[in-house]
Amino acid sequence: MTTVLAAKGLNKRFDDLVAVDGVSFEIAEGETFGLLGPNGAGKTTSISMVAGLLEPDSGTVHVGGTAIRTSSTDGRAEIGLVPQELAIYPDLTGAENLKFFGRLYDMAGDELERRVGEVLEVIGLSDRKDDLTREYSGGMQRRLNIGIGLLHRPRLLILDEPTVGVDPQSRNSILESVENLSGQGIAVLYTTHYMEEAERLCDRVAIIDEGVIQAEGTRRELVSLVGEKDRIRVTMTGDVEEVARIASELPNVHEASVSDSGVDVLAAEASTLLPELLSRVSAAGANVTGVAVFEPNLEAVFLHLTGKALRD
Amino acid sequence: MGAATRIAGKDLKLRLRDRSVFILGIITPLALAYIFHLVFGNAFSADSLELEVGLVDLDGSAVSQSLGEVLADLDADGILVLSEFDDPVAAEAAVEQGDIGALIELEPGLGDAVLMGQPFTIEVVGDVDSPTSTQVASSIASEFGSAVERAQLSVATAVELGQGPPPEDVAAWGQEAAQRPPAFTFTDVSADTRQLDANTFFAAGMAVFFLFFTVQFGVVGILEEKQGGTMARLLAAPISHASVVAGKAILSFVLGVISMAVLMVATHFLMGAQWGPPLGVALLVVTGVLAATAIMGVIAGAATTADGAGNLGAVIAVILGMLGGTFFPIGQGNELLARLSYLTPHAWFMRGLADISGGAEWTAALPAAGALLLFSVVFGAVAWALLRRKLGK
Ligand SMILES: Nc1ncnc2c1ncn2[C@@H]1O[C@H](COP(=O)(O)OP(=O)(O)OP(=O)(O)O)[C@@H](O)[C@H]1O
Ligand SMILES: [Mg+2]
């Protein structure tokens, strides 16, 4: 897989405050990479350097092999930026906003018209395209904000907390559009402080706190890194003591114990264990009434790594 | 350049949608100029400059008569119209009825007071509707007064130094001093410095005064992009920082030129403003708009918010406009103010228009246009540096 973005050793101080300290990561074509961290972690500062808005004190950014600098326009056309703050003109219509930014990327004529139509379709605003965006709902404005970043077909799309302050429905449609992007081969850099979003969208996640990347990997890697286990709760009628004993002897099971109405099993990977576990339970003559799987989440990983909760 | 014009085009659309640029750039200056035209339209226009001054000489001494002679000379030169009255009551009634614009009254005993070295008064009665006549009469009276005082002083000095010349001689000297042509000259300013007629003056004054508000709609856009979050997108796009600043400057220039052109055409038809040779006018408008853009660019570069820039810009525009003599001809009679006014682009703009008025060649606009260009270059360089730095962080 081709590397689209390579950020190496990024550092940025604001006076006495070290906002970003030695941040490095790479994103490949079609990959969605999450930067997960609480307020003030340095997410926006990092991506500002990636997008060429902010000159790093040290470190380099390459997109498609081209160095990104604030003083040069090289490589910028490969990047689509969706800023954390809404970046749209309230007194232009949705279509006018898209066209204006498209022209800055040297799009014009029929090609621009066609692409604006496509993007409006993707963000579900075709029927509102001729309304001033000041009349849009918050969620619609957010969707347009994303659409502008996509318009010029960037190879790298950077989304900075795109779902903040959005209703659940709009949020879901935003997440769906982002999921679709990786299918189109776009490299996505996604910052968030919602671990559910990072888990759902991202192939790999970097956990960032106080300007430093604390850990990086797939969700599974991160979870195993801190020794967290999946928990399977099987509710049943029958001999729970016997089932717990059988379960604890299965390979990869860390621990099995009797709970109120069934058995709790701790294991490294619930999904591979589940079929075997259930057939053993049936074989033991117990009657399964329900199964629930609790996978340890990034919240727990974050807590483990930093000793604090992700959200304040 | 392509990106700059695209940004300017987008901003032009935004500004035209928001009506404030029409209100501030065209409606308000037009309305004010028109009101001035209705109220003072004939106050000091060159053609109908009627300085009607009355004189009542109740003293009848050699001293008082010498003032009468001065006024008669000015009458003969066509600078003012002198009416002499015997009866002070009739004279004051004439002022009240507007037959004369101002009245100079010389009380009985004036000549004696002058000769004895005592204080004296010359009274000027003015008609509120003829401020110019009143001003002229006052300055003639006060110039005359100081000439007489100088004569008194020389007499008094002679008395102290000289080992007591006979009092008859002193009286004779006094009379002689008073009869000498007064040590002041009333120059007809319109002869060497051209002046705009009243209507053109009001139209030009309001146009250039509000120009400084109009151009703000361009350069202040930089602060609005920052505050509105859209600056991040502009900076992320494959366009140079310079083209962002240039886009805003282009919009200022376009708005400035459009508003000036509309105002000049409208005031010509509405109130008969006369603008002179088109080439000269165009030169002054272009350099004037550039200077205004540059100064307002410095303000946008120094401010941190669009509102802050708007407020500071308004203060600066009013101060420069007042000092530059856009509301009333400043510094007529005050040398210092007259000099200071040339620190403003407004004064140069008005001066340039006056220079090309009354059938002069367009080249008469060159000195003023040169001064305006100098403002543009100096302030433009500072504005450019400040605004570019704003994008850097
Ligand atoms: N221009 C600036 N000047 C001074 N300090 C800054 C500046 N920009 C960011 N910081 C500081 O750098 C740190 C990181 O900020 P940053 O905006 O990158 O955090 P973030 O992870 O994006 O947070 P959030 O989730 O709240 O958006 C913060 O402490 C912030 O106060
Ligand atoms: Mg942020």
Side-chain angles (χ1 to χ4, degrees):
Chain A
M1 274 220 255
T2 14
T3 301
V4 175
L5 168 70
K8 278 205 192 71
L10 295 178
N11 284 296
K12 187 73 195 178
R13 311 175 64 103
F14 295 110
D15 301 321
D16 283 348
L17 180 99
V18 181
V20 172
D21 188 1
V23 164
S24 302
F25 53 86
E26 294 195 356
I27 308 179
E29 222 168 62
E31 187 181 31
T32 301
F33 182 85
L35 213 46
L36 176 69
N39 291 133
K43 301 182 297 293
T44 300
T45 307
S46 297
I47 62 165
S48 297
M49 293 188 279
V50 170
L53 301 183
L54 194 64
E55 192 68 32
D57 296 337
S58 62
T60 58
V61 175
H62 286 83
V63 173
T66 309
I68 302 296
R69 307 290 313 268
T70 54
S71 53
S72 149
T73 58
D74 293 350
R76 286 169 188 266
E78 310 276 8
I79 306 174
L81 175 66
V82 178
Q84 179 169 3
E85 274 182 84
L86 276 179
I88 58 180
Y89 298 104
D91 289 319
L92 294 182
T93 66
E96 285 169 340
N97 267 287
L98 286 164
K99 279 182 201 160
F100 168 66
F101 286 109
R103 288 194 191 101
L104 293 187
Y105 288 83
D106 279 332
M107 300 172 79
D110 287 350
E111 186 218 354
L112 179 60
E113 289 288 338
R114 209 170 33 244
R115 183 62 186 153
V116 165
E118 275 173 26
V119 169
L120 283 167
E121 212 47 59
V122 170
I123 58 180
L125 288 175
S126 299
D127 53 336
R128 298 294 301 271
K129 70 184 165 68
D130 294 326
D131 293 345
L132 296 184
T133 63
R134 67 163 65 257
E135 293 158 10
Y136 283 11
S137 70
M140 292 161 76
Q141 292 176 337
R142 283 271 156 205
R143 268 140 60 197
L144 179 64
N145 200 37
I146 294 172
I148 296 170
L150 280 173
L151 187 74
H152 61 284
R153 304 178 202 274
R155 289 179 70 193
L156 170 68
L157 182 69
I158 303 174
L159 298 126
D160 195 2
E161 308 205 33
T163 60
V164 167
V166 164
D167 60 283
Q169 209 181 336
S170 287
R171 181 179 194 187
N172 203 45
S173 93
I174 289 172
L175 296 183
E176 268 171 24
S177 347
V178 175
E179 280 170 330
N180 289 335
L181 292 174
S182 57
Q184 299 162 26
I186 298 184
V188 178
L189 171 53
Y190 191 98
T191 83
T192 182
H193 61 261
Y194 295 122
M195 62 99 196
E196 307 90 324
E197 291 185 3
E199 290 186 340
R200 171 169 165 188
L201 296 176
C202 301
D203 302 308
R204 280 185 306 126
V205 173
I207 290 180
I208 183 169
D209 187 41
E210 295 182 357
V212 178
I213 291 188
Q214 309 285 344
E216 190 216 298
T218 61
R219 188 191 68 85
R220 175 67 46 204
E221 284 166 358
L222 288 173
V223 165
S224 64
L225 190 73
V226 298
E228 294 281 343
K229 302 278 186 293
D230 293 355
R231 181 183 301 272
I232 306 169
R233 171 164 295 175
V234 186
T235 46
M236 65 184 83
T237 53
D239 189 350
V240 290
E241 301 281 343
E242 174 64 5
V243 170
R245 196 189 54 75
I246 295 169
S248 64
E249 283 167 6
L250 287 173
N252 296 328
V253 169
H254 183 70
E255 190 190 318
S257 56
V258 175
S259 71
D260 332 335
S261 51
V263 174
D264 267 11
V265 180
L266 274 181
E269 226 170 304
S271 51
T272 52
L273 178 68
L274 210 49
E276 166 112 48
L277 176 68
L278 290 180
S279 69
R280 290 296 182 90
V281 172
S282 313
N287 194 11
V288 175
T289 57
V291 177
V293 176
F294 304 92
E295 298 184 334
N297 57 30
L298 293 174
E299 179 85 52
V301 177
F302 187 84
L303 186 68
H304 180 94
L305 287 172
T306 67
K308 58 190 180 193
L310 201 47
R311 265 170 275 175
D312 344 276
Chain B
M1 200 61 190
T5 52
R6 278 167 221 158
I7 291 171
K10 179 268 297 174
D11 282 346
L12 183 63
K13 191 185 279 178
L14 284 175
R15 294 310 187 192
L16 295 184
R17 248 169 222 180
D18 168 20
R19 300 193 209 331
S20 47
V21 66
F22 288 112
I23 293 169
L24 216 50
I26 291 173
I27 311 280
T28 314
L30 197 56
L32 283 178
Y34 193 68
I35 290 168
F36 284 138
H37 155 72
L38 292 181
V39 178
F40 307 112
N42 298 315
F44 57 96
S45 74
D47 312 327
S48 60
L49 185 74
E50 288 275 278
L51 297 175
E52 290 166 323
V53 177
L55 177 69
V56 185
D57 182 0
L58 301 176
D59 182 37
S61 68
V63 176
S64 66
Q65 280 167 11
S66 67
L67 177 59
E69 282 159 24
V70 170
L71 289 171
D73 285 349
L74 293 174
D75 189 349
D77 292 346
I79 291 167
L80 52 75
V81 179
L82 177 67
S83 321
E84 293 200 54
F85 294 86
D86 296 330
D87 176 11
V89 180
E92 282 171 27
V95 175
E96 229 153 82
Q97 283 160 18
D99 295 340
I100 53 174
L103 173 68
I104 301 178
E105 275 190 42
L106 304 174
E107 299 293 331
L110 172 76
D112 290 344
V114 167
L115 293 186
M116 308 306 287
Q118 284 162 1
F120 57 89
T121 33
I122 300 174
E123 204 167 313
V124 175
V125 183
D127 174 4
V128 285
D129 294 330
S130 301
T132 319
S133 295
T134 309
Q135 211 185 348
V136 169
S138 304
S139 59
I140 291 174
S142 75
E143 277 293 343
F144 180 75
S146 22
V148 169
E149 274 171 359
R150 281 195 292 276
Q152 274 184 339
L153 191 66
S154 59
V155 172
T157 317
V159 173
E160 270 176 30
L161 290 180
Q163 277 61 44
E168 312 87 66
D169 285 2
V170 176
W173 288 346
Q175 212 144 7
E176 196 182 307
Q179 274 174 339
R180 241 183 273 149
F184 75 98
T185 44
F186 183 84
T187 46
D188 177 5
V189 282
S190 63
D192 49 322
T193 313
R194 288 168 186 278
Q195 262 193 321
L196 291 173
D197 66 87
N199 287 325
T200 312
F201 175 85
F202 296 135
M206 289 303 96
V208 71
F209 180 82
F210 281 93
L211 170 65
F212 279 68
F213 291 87
T214 307
V215 297
Q216 278 211 303
F217 285 102
V219 284
V220 165
I222 291 193
L223 296 164
E224 290 170 359
E225 302 263 13
K226 274 194 93 141
Q227 287 170 275
T230 43
M231 184 60 87
R233 263 200 218 289
L234 295 182
L235 296 183
I239 59 172
S240 67
H241 292 191
S243 58
V244 177
V245 179
K248 304 297 173 183
I250 290 173
L251 181 67
S252 280
F253 182 78
V254 168
L255 289 177
V257 169
I258 292 176
S259 70
M260 293 301 271
V262 170
L263 286 174
M264 285 181 153
V265 171
T267 51
H268 174 73
F269 288 109
L270 266 177
M271 46 194 266
Q274 300 295 331
W275 297 108
L279 198 54
V281 175
L283 195 61
L284 290 170
V285 167
V286 166
T287 51
V289 172
L290 283 176
T293 302
I295 289 175
M296 289 301 149
V298 171
I299 287 166
T304 47
T305 64
D307 280 349
N311 294 339
L312 181 61
V315 170
I316 300 285
V318 170
I319 292 174
L320 291 180
M322 289 288 174
L323 185 60
T326 56
F327 278 90
F328 38 83
I330 201 165
Q332 282 196 354
N334 186 332
E335 190 68 14
L336 178 69
L337 270 183
R339 290 229 178 100
L340 278 179
S341 77
Y342 285 110
L343 292 176
T344 70
H346 304 66
W348 285 103
F349 181 79
M350 305 288 284
R351 154 92 186 269
L353 284 175
D355 286 346
I356 54 172
S357 66
E361 291 287 314
W362 72 270
T363 48
L366 284 175
L372 289 171
L373 199 60
L374 189 66
F375 277 104
S376 316
V377 170
V378 171
F379 286 97
V382 176
W384 187 260
L386 287 176
L387 291 173
R388 283 293 301 275
R389 213 184 53 181
K390 265 209 155 29
L391 306 195
K393 0 180 220 185

